[in-house]
Amino acid sequence: MFSNDAINEKNINTSKLLHSAWQNLTTSVILLNQDLIVIYANESAKELFALGEKRFIGQEFHALFSHHTIDISRIYSHTLEQGIDCHQHRADVVFVDSRHAKIALSSRLITNDNQALALIEFRRLDEEIKHDQASYQMHQHIAARTLIRGLAHEIKNPLGGIRGAAQLLQYETYQSERDECTNLIIEQTDRLTELVDRLLGPNQLLKKTECNIHQTLESVVKLAMLENYNHIKLVKDYDPSIPDITIDEGKMQQVILNIIRNAQQAIHNNEANNIESGSIRIKTRIRHQMRAHNKSMKNALQIQISDNGPGIDQDIIETIFFPMVTNKEGGSGLGLSIAQTLIDQHNGYIDCESWSGHTEFNIYLPLGL
Ligand SMILES: Nc1ncnc2c1ncn2[C@@H]1O[C@H](COP(=O)(O)OP(=O)(O)O)[C@@H](O)[C@H]1O
Ligand SMILES: [Mg+2]
């Protein structure tokens, strides 16, 4: 047991320690009182605002900026008055010394001696955004080059055939031989046309009908089971309360079948995987207030297909929805690109998350409830 003195001493040390931890956080943190005046700021905040203690403490919050898009009234009404946490994922600010930054901030109510205080945390986004943009541009560049290489390869083969046939045609006198040449030319030009059509993606109008999504999924599962992947478990986690949805059933089946096949192939080709442990999970849920990719949906149907395969190769993860991005021998790399076009035509969106041992695709479709 500690003696009282020891406990007091321990408390003193703890508060010193906490003070030091607070000052050394890499996150910028400040405390505002109910008048929205800064009463405390850690070192990182002082660096972010480039203000010393004297000019920082006692300052009104809005006066820390010469311009900003922070929703201060929300911090006041939500956090300080109602105790609700607030997050602003992106705000543009210009500090008093004219520096510009993009930041994310969150506020939380804390109380001290019955006094309500808002704890505000800031995170700089510019560095992250720059890094993301650079990485995205690089991946786009690689994907574009791969696409061109793939295309060149696919075009060159039939072109070679057409040229050869035309040369022969010039000198052939027998009709049967001439027919053979013209047939070859027709075949190869058809092959090229088909390639171009595939690249352009689906262009038919959707044939929408009211469907029970679980019946649609069941017929896809049946098709997927026809492939020889019986060692892979298919787990279904359906929300039976989901109402009928208006979709082009055939197209949606095409999208989901490709995602399931990709998962089957990934698990199957993964040598490190214990062959018995592969599983694919199909989950349906109703979601509310979904917003991404410039789309917003009050109510949405979520179809999630996840697998415990090796995960998507890091080299292609940023571009898997691009045409001709594939890591499979003989793969077209068109499945996900077509899927994205089709989901877009349904006014929904699709995204993907993947890490080693886990891949999940989420499709969100507007649901008129
Ligand atoms: N579940 C998954 N696990 C691992 N990689 C995947 C998965 N789904 C898709 N991929 C990757 O995305 C690529 C693109 O898929 P897709 O557009 O369907 O073309 P394809 O199947 O012809 O390669 C695949 O080649 C694969 O590398
Ligand atoms: Mg595929």
Side-chain angles (χ1 to χ4, degrees), residues 86-154:
C86 280
H87 304 281
Q88 190 167 344
H89 297 293
R90 190 172 160 162
D92 280 291
V93 297
V94 181
F95 299 109
V96 279
D97 60 0
S98 305
R99 280 174 307 123
H100 169 254
K102 290 182 188 358
I103 55 171
L105 71 158
S106 51
S107 61
R108 166 166 288 195
L109 176 76
I110 57 171
T111 46
N112 183 37
D113 292 338
N114 288 331
Q115 194 191 3
L117 301 172
L119 175 73
I120 317 264
E121 289 176 54
F122 300 91
R123 201 158 51 81
R124 280 196 77 143
L125 295 175
D126 343 16
E127 298 303 317
E128 283 171 37
I129 291 171
K130 258 191 221 145
H131 180 264
D132 284 357
Q133 277 173 348
S135 151
Y136 183 67
Q137 267 168 11
M138 186 192 74
H139 282 103
Q140 264 193 328
H141 178 71
I142 295 172
R145 256 195 6 225
T146 315
L147 175 65
I148 290 167
R149 274 216 204 106
L151 268 180
H153 182 73
E154 294 220 28

Side-chain angles (χ1 to χ4, degrees), residues 258-259 262-263 265-266 307 310-313 316 320 325-328 331-337 359 361:
N258 177 57
I259 295 176
N262 281 345
Q265 290 162 351
D307 69 73
I312 296 176
D313 276 358
I316 59 169
I320 43 162
V325 170
T326 179
N327 67 352
K328 294 173 203 162
S332 69
L334 290 176
L336 290 175
S337 142
T359 301
F361 284 86

Side-chain angles (χ1 to χ4, degrees), residues 71 141 169 246 259 304 312:
D71 196 346
H141 178 71
L169 202 56
T246 312
I259 295 176
Q304 182 185 80
I312 296 176

Side-chain angles (χ1 to χ4, degrees), residues 206 208 245-247 252 255 290-303 321 338-351 362-367:
L206 299 180
K208 285 190 179 178
I245 181 165
T246 312
I247 48 170
M252 203 52 68
V255 168
M290 297 306 297
R291 186 182 296 221
H293 305 268
N294 293 330
K295 302 237 169 67
S296 75
M297 289 175 229
K298 201 155 165 255
N299 301 300
L301 161 64
Q302 175 193 18
I303 307 170
F321 291 104
I338 292 173
Q340 194 175 43
T341 309
L342 290 173
I343 298 297
D344 194 53
Q345 285 178 353
H346 278 85
N347 297 319
Y349 63 85
I350 175 169
D351 56 29
N362 282 295
I363 297 173
Y364 297 92
L365 297 168
L367 199 57

